[in-house]
C-alpha cells in the first residue's frame, strides 16, 4: 500500500467554489453525511473481514468508493474513523433492541424471549469488528485511549435497555448484577461463536439462563 | 524483519556429531525440552504483549534467547508453535485449578469460592494471548484450522474440572448448561477486563452468580 505523501486533493463533497446559496449548503451537507455513512460502513466491514491491521484509510476509502482525500477530510485518522464506527455500532444495536422489544410476548414467555435476544446480541459480524478493535487496543495505547470511554458509554446504554426489556427492578439486591452478568455472558457467547457456529449449544444455555434469570430478577 | 532465505543452521541442541552414548542422548533430549519450553513461554509473552501479527518466529527466537535455526527445528511454522503454546496454556490452567481445588472451603462457602475461581480464570495475560489468537484466526483460515479442534479440547477439559469443583450432578436437567454458562460468563468477564481493571465490578457479579449457581446446581 502506497503511504507516500501526496498533495491533498479537494474532497469530493466540498467542491463548491465562490458564493454558495443555502440550497447549495444543504446539498453539500447531505453529500457529506452520505460519504461519512459510506466510510463508517466500509470501516466496519473491513474490521470484521480483515482486522484492524489491514484496515488502513486507503483500504476503507477504496471499499467505500470515496477518494482518499474525501476520506481524510471526514476522518483525519484511523482512530477517529473507528470511534465513529463503534458509536454507530452501539446506536444500531440499541435501535435494534428497542425495535424488537415491541414484538416481545407478555407474561411468562417474556423472560426467555429477552434472554434469547440479549444472548444473541454479540454473535454477528459487528461484534467481530468490535472485538478486533478491543484486541488491537490491548497492544496500542492510542487506540485504547479512544476506545475505553466509548466502550463504557456503549456498555451503560446496553445495560439500560436490558433492564427495560426485562422489566427488572434494580433497587432489589442482586438484580443489577444479574443483568450485568447477562450482558457479560452474551459477550462470552459471542466469543464462543467467533470461529464456529455455536448456535445449537447457545440455544440450550439460553433456556437455562432464562430460568435462572427469572428466579433472580 | 529479514525473512530472506538463508542456509538452515545446525540447531543449538542437536550439535552432537559421530557416535553418541545413551547419556549424550538423554542430555540432548533434556536440552531440547528446555528449548521448547523457552520458545513456548516467549510465544505466549509475545502474543499477549504484541499480538499475532508481531509474533514472528524471529521475534520469538530472540525473546527466548534461542537461535532462529533451533527455533525452526522445534517449530517449523508459527502455527505449530502457537498450537503448542495453546496446549500448554490449557494444561497450566487445569493444573492451577486442581491445585487450588485442595484449598477450597467445605459446605456453604464452597460455591462462592468456586465461582470466584472460575470467573477470575480469564482475566490474566494468558487469556489475552489466547484472545489475540482467536481474533487472528477469524481472519486466517490456516490458523483457524489448527485452533478450532484445540479450543474444543481445552474447553471440554475446563468444563470437566468446573463440574468436579462444583460437585455438580450433570444428570439433573439444566445443570450442564449452568456450568457451561459459568465458563462463558468467565470469558465475557475476561473480555471486560481486557482494557481496564474490572475487578471491583466483577467481585459483585461473582457474589450474585454464586447465589444463582447454588440454586441451579
Amino acid at each position: 500500500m502506497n503511504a507516500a505523501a501526496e498533495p491533498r486533493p479537494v474532497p469530493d463533497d466540498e467542491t463548491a467554489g465562490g458564493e454558495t446559496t443555502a440550497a447549495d449548503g444543504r446539498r453539500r451537507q447531505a453529500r457529506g453525511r452520505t460519504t461519512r455513512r459510506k466510510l463508517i460502513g466500509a470501516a466496519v466491514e473491513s474490521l470484521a473481514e480483515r482486522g484492524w491491521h489491514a484496515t488502513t484509510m486507503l483500504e476503507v476509502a477504496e471499499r467505500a468508493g470515496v477518494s482518499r482525500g474525501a476520506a481524510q477530510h471526514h476522518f483525519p485518522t484511523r482512530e477517529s474513523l473507528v470511534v465513529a464506527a463503534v458509536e454507530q455500532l452501539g446506536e444500531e444495536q440499541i435501535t435494534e433492541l428497542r425495535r424488537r422489544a415491541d414484538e416481545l410476548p407478555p407474561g411468562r414467555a417474556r423472560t426467555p424471549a429477552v434472554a434469547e435476544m440479549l444472548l444473541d446480541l454479540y454473535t454477528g459480524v459487528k461484534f467481530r469488528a468490535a472485538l478486533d478493535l478491543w484486541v488491537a487496543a490491548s497492544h496500542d495505547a492510542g487506540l485504547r485511549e479512544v476506545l475505553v470511554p466509548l466502550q463504557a458509554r456503549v456498555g451503560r446504554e446496553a445495560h439500560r435497555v436490558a433492564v427495560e426489556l426485562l422489566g427488572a427492578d434494580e433497587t432489589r439486591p442482586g438484580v443489577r448484577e444479574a443483568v450485568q452478568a447477562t450482558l457479560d455472558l452474551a459477550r462470552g457467547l459471542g466469543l464462543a461463536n467467533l470461529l464456529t457456529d455455536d448456535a445449537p449449544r447457545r440455544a440450550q444455555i439460553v433456556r437455562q439462563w432464562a430460568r435462572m434469570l427469572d428466579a433472580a430478577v
Side-chain angles (χ1 to χ4, degrees), chain A:
Chain A
M1 256 159 264
N2 173 22
E6 55 184 59
R8 190 165 165 206
V10 177
D12 293 348
D13 45 344
E14 294 242 316
T15 46
E19 297 275 315
T20 59
T21 64
D24 282 342
R26 278 195 300 275
R27 268 195 296 274
R28 206 168 62 233
Q29 278 180 359
R31 275 199 302 274
R33 278 194 299 272
T34 305
T35 305
R36 271 181 71 91
R37 210 168 34 237
K38 279 187 195 165
L39 286 166
I40 289 174
V44 171
E45 217 180 81
S46 173
L47 284 168
E49 279 175 27
R50 306 197 48 210
W52 167 249
H53 285 268
T55 303
T56 60
M57 285 303 283
L58 183 60
E59 161 78 19
V60 173
E62 279 176 0
R63 270 182 197 256
V66 164
S67 78
R68 190 160 157 192
Q72 272 174 339
H73 170 72
H74 286 283
F75 300 106
T77 62
R78 285 210 292 175
E79 283 75 9
S80 63
L81 175 57
V82 302
V83 165
V86 172
E87 273 175 340
Q88 172 152 322
L89 290 179
E91 278 166 24
E92 280 175 11
Q93 192 184 65
I94 302 299
T95 306
E96 170 72 5
L97 281 177
R98 291 201 201 275
R99 190 189 61 72
R100 291 180 56 195
D102 297 335
E103 302 159 8
L104 285 172
R108 293 189 59 84
R110 188 174 173 98
T111 306
V114 176
E116 189 179 351
M117 250 174 83
L118 294 177
L119 297 185
D120 280 351
L121 207 53
Y122 301 106
T123 55
V125 78
K126 291 171 187 176
F127 177 70
R128 190 178 298 180
L131 186 60
D132 201 282
L133 281 179
W134 268 331
V135 169
S138 75
H139 312 297
D140 179 333
L143 190 56
R144 191 158 58 238
E145 204 176 307
V146 295
L147 280 188
V148 166
L150 202 56
Q151 181 191 342
R153 207 164 70 226
V154 171
R156 273 195 303 274
E157 191 61 22
H159 182 88
R160 192 173 307 135
V161 178
V163 169
E164 270 177 47
L165 292 178
L166 288 164
D169 175 6
E170 289 202 300
T171 61
R172 289 176 49 212
V175 169
R176 182 174 169 75
E177 289 75 18
V179 176
Q180 286 184 329
T182 305
L183 289 170
D184 286 299
L185 173 58
R187 293 187 195 101
L189 290 170
L191 213 48
N193 201 62
L194 189 66
L195 302 185
T196 51
D197 176 13
D198 193 41
R201 190 187 74 98
R202 189 169 64 247
Q204 297 185 305
I205 292 179
V206 166
R207 257 201 304 281
Q208 172 61 11
W209 182 249
R211 279 193 289 264
M212 292 169 77
L213 201 55
D214 226 7
V217 166

